[in-house]
Amino acid sequence: MGKFNLKPSTISSKVVMAIAGLFLMTFLIVHLGINMLMLLGDEGNAFGKAVSFMTYNPGIKIFEYVLFGGFIIHMIIGALIEVKNYFARPVKYAVSNNSNTSFFSKYMIHTGILIFIFLILHFTHFFFVKLKLVELPACAAHEHDFFTITKYLFKSPYYAGIYIICFIFLGLHLNHAFQSAFQTLGLNHPKYTPAIKVISSIYAIGITLGFSMITLYFYFFYTL
Amino acid sequence: MNIKLKIWRQKNAQAKGKFENYSLEDVSPEMGFLEMLDYLNQKLIKSGGEPVAYEHDCREGICGSCGMYINGRPHGPEAKTTTCELRMRSFKDGDTITIEPFRSRMFPIIKDLLIDRTAFEKILIAGGFISADTGSAPEANSILVCKKHADKAFDMATCIGCGACVAACKNSSAMLFVSAKINQYALLPQGKIEAPERVKKMVAKMDELGFGSCSNTYACEAECPKGISVSAIAKMNREFLHAKLIAED
Ligand code: HEM
Ligand code: SF4
Ligand code: FES
């Protein structure tokens, strides 16, 4: 081992960020999977069971802390490298760059910040209710009654709209993020990289459509 | 062809520069881009003006000195082409061409379009070499080199250090350049020995100089006149992780 270096290199920072990001991406699949249970038409029975399992299982509790840590690390590194990158070119070009690159790969910090703002809103709707940090909405029976909270929330065209717009920006972040994480970790191969890029887009579209579908279901088809 | 030019003029490193407009008549489509600039400079000199300073040497795409930012792209609109290889037929009659120097904190402007690329030199000094005594050419079969690796190392060695990757990158990241150099050595038996030390030293120097980090937008690959692929960056990241986590000193 060499001398321990307190200032991590740009590569190490990005590797940590990529691992945290990939972890968040696995969580999103689990989250979507559980939410899909709301579409079963059983008045949230199966969904409620899954929620109590997730709430009381000690293993999941640990997972929750790791998840939070991952989020915070991902965001802090993202913000720090963005600042460093900004100062690497103090005088900007008069003609903005015309190079042939994928558009949203240049706006990860912007889609990221939007996701962060959305998360605050999302937490006040659900997570903070569970933690009793915000008042229990009048419709809900108890602080784990997410099914009822959801069905009332998405009857509002504003919230349904805001959520869907945010799912689209989340998708744009993920579309670049998935394949980018592989490249950062050094996993680039002429045979597999094209496939990873396709899976990246399928994943992003799947997450956006999946979550949006639930929102649209409550807005259009569910009668209170 | 009639061409309008908007060129960044800056007296010296300290001066505040600005764009100047010029127009040129009877530019022929066969002219090279640099010949067009020479033609402009002739006119400027004849009329008592100051010619536009820009760097050039080989004029055949191998020295890497002629980089400039043309209409929002390093080395202009054609792929895998240096500015000196660019022809005026890539533009249309009546076009306005905006020419800026490569911009990055690590490439300070010396004058007009002329930039100082010493930062690349510093990265190479940090580890872009092999310490073995080269002497005269060794007997060909004493060190066996796999043909695939030799070809790949040669691909990497085609990097001319022009800095287009840094100029194109939204983060002014030098990852493509550094990875090309690192792989060029790491792929060959003589270079492999120092590979872990080399990657650590060169990456540390790159960071210290202030180059940005890689966001994997791949603008570098799109603009590299030598077509160096971003797979080189992934390989450097593997080398780096191996050096940091696994290799013993
Ligand atoms: C569910 C939420 C999120 C997931 C799954 C996610 C995932 C990822 C992944 C996998 C990457 C690629 C890492 C790499 O290139 O090595 C990435 C990049 C990035 N993320 Fe996120 N992210 C999320 C939320 C956020 C948030 C809230 C921010 C807030 C600021 C953010 C900021 C960024 C930035 C700036 C990058 C690009 C870094 C760069 O390459 O320059 N992300 N994200
Ligand atoms: S990697 Fe390509 S763009 Fe970058 S310095 Fe080398 S030749 Fe120029
Ligand atoms: S002048 Fe040498 S590469 Fe263009």
Side-chain angles (χ1 to χ4, degrees), chain B residues 165-221:
Chain B
C165 42
V166 174
C169 175
K170 77 173 180 66
N171 310 329
S172 277
S173 168
M175 293 279 274
L176 195 65
F177 165 75
V178 178
S179 65
K181 297 299 168 198
I182 280 171
N183 290 325
Q184 171 193 335
Y185 298 111
L187 283 159
L188 296 173
Q190 297 92 333
K192 220 173 227 153
I193 301 159
E194 291 164 285
E197 276 310 302
R198 179 182 305 115
V199 67
K200 283 196 278 189
K201 284 184 182 153
M202 288 177 76
V203 168
K205 183 52 89 180
M206 169 184 90
D207 284 349
E208 181 200 313
L209 290 166
F211 287 101
S213 73
C214 177
S215 290
N216 301 331
T217 60
Y218 309 146
C220 52
E221 181 183 77

Tab-separated table of all heavy atoms in Angstrom, chain B residues 165-221:
chain	number	residue	atom	x	y	z
B	165	CYS	N	-9.049	16.762	-26.931
B	165	CYS	CA	-9.910	16.077	-25.958
B	165	CYS	C	-10.227	17.001	-24.795
B	165	CYS	O	-11.371	17.102	-24.355
B	165	CYS	CB	-9.255	14.784	-25.477
B	165	CYS	SG	-7.489	14.890	-25.151
B	166	VAL	N	-9.210	17.727	-24.316
B	166	VAL	CA	-9.420	18.666	-23.215
B	166	VAL	C	-10.314	19.817	-23.688
B	166	VAL	O	-11.227	20.252	-22.988
B	166	VAL	CB	-8.060	19.227	-22.717
B	166	VAL	CG1	-8.269	20.308	-21.680
B	166	VAL	CG2	-7.194	18.108	-22.167
B	167	ALA	N	-10.041	20.284	-24.907
B	167	ALA	CA	-10.780	21.435	-25.432
B	167	ALA	C	-12.254	21.118	-25.639
B	167	ALA	O	-13.110	21.964	-25.448
B	167	ALA	CB	-10.159	21.885	-26.749
B	168	ALA	N	-12.549	19.876	-26.026
B	168	ALA	CA	-13.935	19.507	-26.316
B	168	ALA	C	-14.703	19.188	-25.042
B	168	ALA	O	-15.908	19.399	-24.969
B	168	ALA	CB	-13.972	18.294	-27.242
B	169	CYS	N	-14.000	18.687	-24.031
B	169	CYS	CA	-14.675	18.196	-22.832
B	169	CYS	C	-15.286	19.343	-22.043
B	169	CYS	O	-14.631	20.356	-21.807
B	169	CYS	CB	-13.666	17.461	-21.955
B	169	CYS	SG	-14.362	16.931	-20.387
B	170	LYS	N	-16.519	19.160	-21.598
B	170	LYS	CA	-17.162	20.225	-20.810
B	170	LYS	C	-16.445	20.416	-19.481
B	170	LYS	O	-16.590	21.450	-18.845
B	170	LYS	CB	-18.649	19.917	-20.602
B	170	LYS	CG	-18.945	18.871	-19.533
B	170	LYS	CD	-20.441	18.764	-19.288
B	170	LYS	CE	-20.796	17.743	-18.227
B	170	LYS	NZ	-20.343	18.084	-16.865
B	171	ASN	N	-15.677	19.431	-19.044
B	171	ASN	CA	-14.948	19.513	-17.774
B	171	ASN	C	-13.461	19.794	-17.958
B	171	ASN	O	-12.703	19.715	-17.011
B	171	ASN	CB	-15.075	18.204	-17.002
B	171	ASN	CG	-16.503	17.730	-16.888
B	171	ASN	OD1	-17.413	18.540	-16.852
B	171	ASN	ND2	-16.694	16.423	-16.840
B	172	SER	N	-13.018	20.053	-19.185
B	172	SER	CA	-11.580	20.166	-19.465
B	172	SER	C	-10.837	18.972	-18.893
B	172	SER	O	-9.798	19.119	-18.254
B	172	SER	CB	-10.981	21.426	-18.824
B	172	SER	OG	-11.177	22.524	-19.624
B	173	SER	N	-11.366	17.783	-19.099
B	173	SER	CA	-10.718	16.590	-18.570
B	173	SER	C	-9.666	16.091	-19.553
B	173	SER	O	-9.855	16.137	-20.769
B	173	SER	CB	-11.770	15.512	-18.333
B	173	SER	OG	-11.135	14.277	-18.089
B	174	ALA	N	-8.543	15.624	-19.011
B	174	ALA	CA	-7.456	15.145	-19.858
B	174	ALA	C	-7.421	13.618	-19.904
B	174	ALA	O	-6.416	13.025	-20.279
B	174	ALA	CB	-6.129	15.686	-19.353
B	175	MET	N	-8.528	12.977	-19.510
B	175	MET	CA	-8.531	11.527	-19.370
B	175	MET	C	-8.174	10.789	-20.660
B	175	MET	O	-7.500	9.759	-20.612
B	175	MET	CB	-9.892	11.051	-18.864
B	175	MET	CG	-10.215	11.490	-17.466
B	175	MET	SD	-9.445	10.477	-16.200
B	175	MET	CE	-10.642	9.163	-16.042
B	176	LEU	N	-8.617	11.294	-21.810
B	176	LEU	CA	-8.333	10.553	-23.040
B	176	LEU	C	-6.837	10.595	-23.347
B	176	LEU	O	-6.231	9.563	-23.653
B	176	LEU	CB	-9.149	11.095	-24.224
B	176	LEU	CG	-9.194	10.164	-25.426
B	176	LEU	CD1	-9.925	8.871	-25.107
B	176	LEU	CD2	-9.834	10.815	-26.644
B	177	PHE	N	-6.250	11.759	-23.235
B	177	PHE	CA	-4.813	11.903	-23.466
B	177	PHE	C	-4.022	11.013	-22.502
B	177	PHE	O	-3.183	10.214	-22.913
B	177	PHE	CB	-4.406	13.377	-23.304
B	177	PHE	CG	-2.927	13.594	-23.172
B	177	PHE	CD1	-2.100	13.493	-24.287
B	177	PHE	CD2	-2.349	13.884	-21.938
B	177	PHE	CE1	-0.733	13.684	-24.169
B	177	PHE	CE2	-0.988	14.078	-21.805
B	177	PHE	CZ	-0.173	13.976	-22.930
B	178	VAL	N	-4.316	11.159	-21.204
B	178	VAL	CA	-3.544	10.414	-20.202
B	178	VAL	C	-3.736	8.908	-20.397
B	178	VAL	O	-2.783	8.131	-20.309
B	178	VAL	CB	-3.936	10.854	-18.763
B	178	VAL	CG1	-3.180	10.044	-17.730
B	178	VAL	CG2	-3.654	12.334	-18.577
B	179	SER	N	-4.959	8.495	-20.712
B	179	SER	CA	-5.187	7.056	-20.876
B	179	SER	C	-4.461	6.521	-22.108
B	179	SER	O	-3.936	5.413	-22.096
B	179	SER	CB	-6.690	6.750	-20.955
B	179	SER	OG	-7.261	7.317	-22.106
B	180	ALA	N	-4.398	7.320	-23.178
B	180	ALA	CA	-3.673	6.871	-24.371
B	180	ALA	C	-2.208	6.637	-24.017
B	180	ALA	O	-1.621	5.606	-24.367
B	180	ALA	CB	-3.796	7.903	-25.490
B	181	LYS	N	-1.625	7.566	-23.269
B	181	LYS	CA	-0.210	7.441	-22.913
B	181	LYS	C	0.021	6.251	-21.981
B	181	LYS	O	0.976	5.490	-22.156
B	181	LYS	CB	0.279	8.737	-22.244
B	181	LYS	CG	0.222	9.954	-23.150
B	181	LYS	CD	1.104	9.766	-24.373
B	181	LYS	CE	0.840	10.831	-25.425
B	181	LYS	NZ	1.353	10.454	-26.746
B	182	ILE	N	-0.866	6.120	-20.996
B	182	ILE	CA	-0.702	5.028	-20.035
B	182	ILE	C	-0.809	3.668	-20.722
B	182	ILE	O	0.015	2.773	-20.506
B	182	ILE	CB	-1.738	5.185	-18.900
B	182	ILE	CG1	-1.220	6.221	-17.908
B	182	ILE	CG2	-2.011	3.850	-18.206
B	182	ILE	CD1	-2.210	6.629	-16.869
B	183	ASN	N	-1.790	3.529	-21.598
B	183	ASN	CA	-1.987	2.242	-22.271
B	183	ASN	C	-0.868	1.929	-23.244
B	183	ASN	O	-0.470	0.777	-23.401
B	183	ASN	CB	-3.317	2.232	-23.020
B	183	ASN	CG	-4.485	2.195	-22.056
B	183	ASN	OD1	-4.398	1.575	-21.016
B	183	ASN	ND2	-5.558	2.874	-22.388
B	184	GLN	N	-0.377	2.949	-23.882
B	184	GLN	CA	0.710	2.751	-24.841
B	184	GLN	C	1.879	2.012	-24.181
B	184	GLN	O	2.456	1.094	-24.769
B	184	GLN	CB	1.143	4.126	-25.352
B	184	GLN	CG	2.402	4.144	-26.182
B	184	GLN	CD	2.903	5.578	-26.348
B	184	GLN	OE1	2.134	6.520	-26.260
B	184	GLN	NE2	4.186	5.713	-26.596
B	185	TYR	N	2.181	2.377	-22.939
B	185	TYR	CA	3.279	1.713	-22.230
B	185	TYR	C	2.841	0.414	-21.569
B	185	TYR	O	3.564	-0.572	-21.586
B	185	TYR	CB	3.870	2.655	-21.180
B	185	TYR	CG	4.468	3.905	-21.768
B	185	TYR	CD1	3.881	5.138	-21.568
B	185	TYR	CD2	5.617	3.835	-22.554
B	185	TYR	CE1	4.419	6.288	-22.131
B	185	TYR	CE2	6.160	4.974	-23.116
B	185	TYR	CZ	5.554	6.198	-22.900
B	185	TYR	OH	6.091	7.328	-23.450
B	186	ALA	N	1.643	0.446	-20.982
B	186	ALA	CA	1.216	-0.713	-20.189
B	186	ALA	C	1.025	-1.957	-21.055
B	186	ALA	O	1.059	-3.079	-20.558
B	186	ALA	CB	-0.068	-0.384	-19.443
B	187	LEU	N	0.825	-1.756	-22.358
B	187	LEU	CA	0.549	-2.892	-23.230
B	187	LEU	C	1.816	-3.618	-23.679
B	187	LEU	O	1.740	-4.713	-24.223
B	187	LEU	CB	-0.229	-2.421	-24.467
B	187	LEU	CG	-1.723	-2.144	-24.226
B	187	LEU	CD1	-2.278	-1.214	-25.311
B	187	LEU	CD2	-2.508	-3.447	-24.199
B	188	LEU	N	2.958	-3.005	-23.475
B	188	LEU	CA	4.204	-3.615	-23.953
B	188	LEU	C	5.043	-4.120	-22.785
B	188	LEU	O	5.018	-3.530	-21.704
B	188	LEU	CB	5.002	-2.587	-24.769
B	188	LEU	CG	4.298	-2.141	-26.052
B	188	LEU	CD1	5.063	-1.009	-26.727
B	188	LEU	CD2	4.121	-3.310	-27.015
B	189	PRO	N	5.779	-5.226	-22.992
B	189	PRO	CA	6.487	-5.842	-21.868
B	189	PRO	C	7.433	-4.888	-21.144
B	189	PRO	O	7.487	-4.896	-19.905
B	189	PRO	CB	7.258	-7.000	-22.504
B	189	PRO	CG	6.982	-6.973	-23.948
B	189	PRO	CD	5.929	-5.981	-24.240
B	190	GLN	N	8.137	-4.022	-21.880
B	190	GLN	CA	9.081	-3.127	-21.201
B	190	GLN	C	8.357	-2.105	-20.329
B	190	GLN	O	8.893	-1.636	-19.328
B	190	GLN	CB	9.958	-2.371	-22.219
B	190	GLN	CG	10.846	-3.256	-23.048
B	190	GLN	CD	10.168	-3.656	-24.361
B	190	GLN	OE1	8.949	-3.705	-24.443
B	190	GLN	NE2	10.974	-3.971	-25.358
B	191	GLY	N	7.151	-1.767	-20.737
B	191	GLY	CA	6.414	-0.728	-20.015
B	191	GLY	C	5.585	-1.266	-18.866
B	191	GLY	O	5.238	-0.552	-17.934
B	192	LYS	N	5.275	-2.582	-18.969
B	192	LYS	CA	4.378	-3.197	-17.991
B	192	LYS	C	4.953	-3.129	-16.571
B	192	LYS	O	4.211	-2.971	-15.600
B	192	LYS	CB	4.173	-4.668	-18.382
B	192	LYS	CG	2.746	-5.139	-18.180
B	192	LYS	CD	2.558	-6.523	-18.722
B	192	LYS	CE	1.294	-6.591	-19.563
B	192	LYS	NZ	1.317	-7.609	-20.588
B	193	ILE	N	6.276	-3.255	-16.488
B	193	ILE	CA	6.935	-3.342	-15.179
B	193	ILE	C	6.580	-2.152	-14.287
B	193	ILE	O	6.261	-2.314	-13.124
B	193	ILE	CB	8.467	-3.426	-15.371
B	193	ILE	CG1	8.794	-4.652	-16.222
B	193	ILE	CG2	9.191	-3.483	-14.028
B	193	ILE	CD1	10.150	-4.602	-16.898
B	194	GLU	N	6.589	-0.977	-14.875
B	194	GLU	CA	6.326	0.217	-14.067
B	194	GLU	C	4.862	0.655	-14.149
B	194	GLU	O	4.532	1.744	-13.681
B	194	GLU	CB	7.202	1.375	-14.560
B	194	GLU	CG	8.670	1.192	-14.284
B	194	GLU	CD	9.504	2.155	-15.116
B	194	GLU	OE1	9.667	1.935	-16.330
B	194	GLU	OE2	9.993	3.140	-14.543
B	195	ALA	N	4.007	-0.171	-14.723
B	195	ALA	CA	2.632	0.272	-14.999
B	195	ALA	C	1.872	0.779	-13.763
B	195	ALA	O	1.273	1.853	-13.818
B	195	ALA	CB	1.856	-0.831	-15.710
B	196	PRO	N	1.907	0.036	-12.634
B	196	PRO	CA	1.126	0.530	-11.483
B	196	PRO	C	1.629	1.875	-10.969
B	196	PRO	O	0.844	2.774	-10.688
B	196	PRO	CB	1.321	-0.564	-10.426
B	196	PRO	CG	1.779	-1.765	-11.167
B	196	PRO	CD	2.528	-1.265	-12.357
B	197	GLU	N	2.950	2.021	-10.869
B	197	GLU	CA	3.518	3.288	-10.406
B	197	GLU	C	3.166	4.409	-11.378
B	197	GLU	O	2.813	5.521	-10.991
B	197	GLU	CB	5.043	3.170	-10.319
B	197	GLU	CG	5.515	2.560	-9.026
B	197	GLU	CD	4.880	3.239	-7.826
B	197	GLU	OE1	5.057	4.472	-7.696
B	197	GLU	OE2	4.190	2.559	-7.038
B	198	ARG	N	3.281	4.076	-12.667
B	198	ARG	CA	3.068	5.089	-13.695
B	198	ARG	C	1.655	5.650	-13.631
B	198	ARG	O	1.448	6.855	-13.616
B	198	ARG	CB	3.347	4.497	-15.076
B	198	ARG	CG	3.112	5.484	-16.203
B	198	ARG	CD	3.351	4.874	-17.570
B	198	ARG	NE	4.666	4.296	-17.695
B	198	ARG	CZ	4.901	2.998	-17.861
B	198	ARG	NH1	3.895	2.146	-17.929
B	198	ARG	NH2	6.127	2.559	-17.957
B	199	VAL	N	0.675	4.742	-13.564
B	199	VAL	CA	-0.706	5.226	-13.618
B	199	VAL	C	-1.008	6.095	-12.400
B	199	VAL	O	-1.661	7.133	-12.495
B	199	VAL	CB	-1.717	4.066	-13.810
B	199	VAL	CG1	-1.790	3.143	-12.613
B	199	VAL	CG2	-3.113	4.608	-14.106
B	200	LYS	N	-0.475	5.697	-11.239
B	200	LYS	CA	-0.726	6.498	-10.041
B	200	LYS	C	-0.105	7.889	-10.179
B	200	LYS	O	-0.729	8.890	-9.858
B	200	LYS	CB	-0.161	5.786	-8.799
B	200	LYS	CG	-1.058	4.639	-8.333
B	200	LYS	CD	-0.722	4.198	-6.926
B	200	LYS	CE	0.451	3.244	-6.898
B	200	LYS	NZ	0.682	2.627	-5.604
B	201	LYS	N	1.142	7.918	-10.665
B	201	LYS	CA	1.840	9.208	-10.759
B	201	LYS	C	1.205	10.123	-11.802
B	201	LYS	O	1.048	11.320	-11.569
B	201	LYS	CB	3.313	8.980	-11.118
B	201	LYS	CG	4.136	8.481	-9.943
B	201	LYS	CD	5.592	8.376	-10.341
B	201	LYS	CE	6.438	7.825	-9.208
B	201	LYS	NZ	7.630	7.136	-9.735
B	202	MET	N	0.857	9.545	-12.955
B	202	MET	CA	0.322	10.403	-14.014
B	202	MET	C	-1.066	10.926	-13.668
B	202	MET	O	-1.390	12.079	-13.937
B	202	MET	CB	0.335	9.669	-15.356
B	202	MET	CG	1.751	9.517	-15.904
B	202	MET	SD	1.856	8.595	-17.448
B	202	MET	CE	1.287	9.788	-18.647
B	203	VAL	N	-1.879	10.074	-13.044
B	203	VAL	CA	-3.223	10.522	-12.651
B	203	VAL	C	-3.105	11.585	-11.557
B	203	VAL	O	-3.808	12.602	-11.578
B	203	VAL	CB	-4.095	9.328	-12.197
B	203	VAL	CG1	-5.378	9.810	-11.525
B	203	VAL	CG2	-4.430	8.438	-13.389
B	204	ALA	N	-2.174	11.375	-10.601
B	204	ALA	CA	-2.000	12.365	-9.536
B	204	ALA	C	-1.581	13.705	-10.126
B	204	ALA	O	-2.070	14.761	-9.717
B	204	ALA	CB	-0.959	11.881	-8.530
B	205	LYS	N	-0.687	13.666	-11.103
B	205	LYS	CA	-0.225	14.919	-11.717
B	205	LYS	C	-1.376	15.593	-12.469
B	205	LYS	O	-1.579	16.804	-12.365
B	205	LYS	CB	0.956	14.626	-12.657
B	205	LYS	CG	1.587	15.833	-13.301
B	205	LYS	CD	1.985	16.924	-12.317
B	205	LYS	CE	3.379	16.757	-11.765
B	205	LYS	NZ	3.751	17.825	-10.809
B	206	MET	N	-2.145	14.790	-13.182
B	206	MET	CA	-3.297	15.321	-13.922
B	206	MET	C	-4.262	16.042	-12.962
B	206	MET	O	-4.725	17.149	-13.239
B	206	MET	CB	-3.998	14.156	-14.628
B	206	MET	CG	-5.339	14.456	-15.222
B	206	MET	SD	-6.076	12.960	-15.922
B	206	MET	CE	-6.969	12.327	-14.491
B	207	ASP	N	-4.521	15.411	-11.817
B	207	ASP	CA	-5.414	16.021	-10.818
B	207	ASP	C	-4.813	17.295	-10.243
B	207	ASP	O	-5.484	18.311	-10.114
B	207	ASP	CB	-5.676	15.044	-9.662
B	207	ASP	CG	-6.650	13.949	-10.058
B	207	ASP	OD1	-7.268	14.074	-11.134
B	207	ASP	OD2	-6.792	12.973	-9.296
B	208	GLU	N	-3.510	17.203	-9.909
B	208	GLU	CA	-2.837	18.338	-9.288
B	208	GLU	C	-2.868	19.574	-10.201
B	208	GLU	O	-3.046	20.697	-9.747
B	208	GLU	CB	-1.388	17.929	-8.986
B	208	GLU	CG	-0.540	18.970	-8.320
B	208	GLU	CD	0.944	18.649	-8.508
B	208	GLU	OE1	1.337	17.482	-8.297
B	208	GLU	OE2	1.697	19.577	-8.876
B	209	LEU	N	-2.727	19.341	-11.495
B	209	LEU	CA	-2.709	20.456	-12.435
B	209	LEU	C	-4.083	21.101	-12.582
B	209	LEU	O	-4.201	22.226	-13.060
B	209	LEU	CB	-2.201	19.992	-13.799
B	209	LEU	CG	-0.714	19.637	-13.868
B	209	LEU	CD1	-0.392	18.869	-15.132
B	209	LEU	CD2	0.139	20.894	-13.786
B	210	GLY	N	-5.126	20.376	-12.188
B	210	GLY	CA	-6.461	20.975	-12.182
B	210	GLY	C	-7.388	20.538	-13.311
B	210	GLY	O	-8.472	21.092	-13.465
B	211	PHE	N	-6.967	19.547	-14.117
B	211	PHE	CA	-7.869	19.043	-15.158
B	211	PHE	C	-9.130	18.483	-14.499
B	211	PHE	O	-9.061	17.913	-13.406
B	211	PHE	CB	-7.187	17.940	-15.976
B	211	PHE	CG	-6.120	18.458	-16.900
B	211	PHE	CD1	-4.777	18.359	-16.567
B	211	PHE	CD2	-6.463	19.046	-18.103
B	211	PHE	CE1	-3.789	18.846	-17.409
B	211	PHE	CE2	-5.483	19.534	-18.961
B	211	PHE	CZ	-4.145	19.431	-18.622
B	212	GLY	N	-10.262	18.614	-15.156
B	212	GLY	CA	-11.530	18.172	-14.574
B	212	GLY	C	-11.647	16.658	-14.576
B	212	GLY	O	-10.773	15.940	-15.065
B	213	SER	N	-12.746	16.162	-14.009
B	213	SER	CA	-12.950	14.716	-13.985
B	213	SER	C	-13.798	14.303	-15.180
B	213	SER	O	-14.359	15.141	-15.869
B	213	SER	CB	-13.631	14.307	-12.691
B	213	SER	OG	-14.968	14.713	-12.735
B	214	CYS	N	-13.868	13.005	-15.407
B	214	CYS	CA	-14.549	12.510	-16.612
B	214	CYS	C	-16.028	12.261	-16.315
B	214	CYS	O	-16.358	11.543	-15.388
B	214	CYS	CB	-13.876	11.221	-17.062
B	214	CYS	SG	-14.668	10.473	-18.485
B	215	SER	N	-16.916	12.848	-17.104
B	215	SER	CA	-18.353	12.604	-16.964
B	215	SER	C	-18.856	11.599	-17.985
B	215	SER	O	-20.063	11.419	-18.137
B	215	SER	CB	-19.139	13.897	-17.149
B	215	SER	OG	-18.941	14.754	-16.075
B	216	ASN	N	-17.961	10.995	-18.722
B	216	ASN	CA	-18.333	10.032	-19.760
B	216	ASN	C	-19.316	10.602	-20.778
B	216	ASN	O	-20.249	9.925	-21.198
B	216	ASN	CB	-18.919	8.765	-19.132
B	216	ASN	CG	-17.936	8.103	-18.187
B	216	ASN	OD1	-16.726	8.215	-18.367
B	216	ASN	ND2	-18.436	7.407	-17.185
B	217	THR	N	-19.105	11.864	-21.164
B	217	THR	CA	-19.948	12.410	-22.230
B	217	THR	C	-19.372	12.044	-23.600
B	217	THR	O	-20.052	12.157	-24.602
B	217	THR	CB	-20.058	13.946	-22.146
B	217	THR	OG1	-18.753	14.481	-22.261
B	217	THR	CG2	-20.659	14.397	-20.837
B	218	TYR	N	-18.117	11.653	-23.618
B	218	TYR	CA	-17.435	11.143	-24.820
B	218	TYR	C	-17.237	12.187	-25.928
B	218	TYR	O	-17.096	11.832	-27.096
B	218	TYR	CB	-18.164	9.908	-25.389
B	218	TYR	CG	-18.440	8.837	-24.352
B	218	TYR	CD1	-19.593	8.051	-24.408
B	218	TYR	CD2	-17.548	8.609	-23.317
B	218	TYR	CE1	-19.850	7.076	-23.448
B	218	TYR	CE2	-17.798	7.634	-22.358
B	218	TYR	CZ	-18.949	6.875	-22.427
B	218	TYR	OH	-19.205	5.918	-21.483
B	219	ALA	N	-17.216	13.485	-25.539
B	219	ALA	CA	-16.900	14.517	-26.530
B	219	ALA	C	-15.458	14.353	-27.003
B	219	ALA	O	-15.136	14.649	-28.153
B	219	ALA	CB	-17.100	15.905	-25.933
B	220	CYS	N	-14.587	13.848	-26.117
B	220	CYS	CA	-13.176	13.658	-26.465
B	220	CYS	C	-13.024	12.696	-27.633
B	220	CYS	O	-12.344	12.973	-28.617
B	220	CYS	CB	-12.406	13.145	-25.252
B	220	CYS	SG	-13.141	11.678	-24.482
B	221	GLU	N	-13.729	11.553	-27.516
B	221	GLU	CA	-13.648	10.539	-28.570
B	221	GLU	C	-14.165	11.106	-29.894
B	221	GLU	O	-13.596	10.868	-30.951
B	221	GLU	CB	-14.478	9.319	-28.146
B	221	GLU	CG	-14.464	8.173	-29.131
B	221	GLU	CD	-15.387	7.036	-28.665
B	221	GLU	OE1	-16.615	7.163	-28.818
B	221	GLU	OE2	-14.856	6.054	-28.154
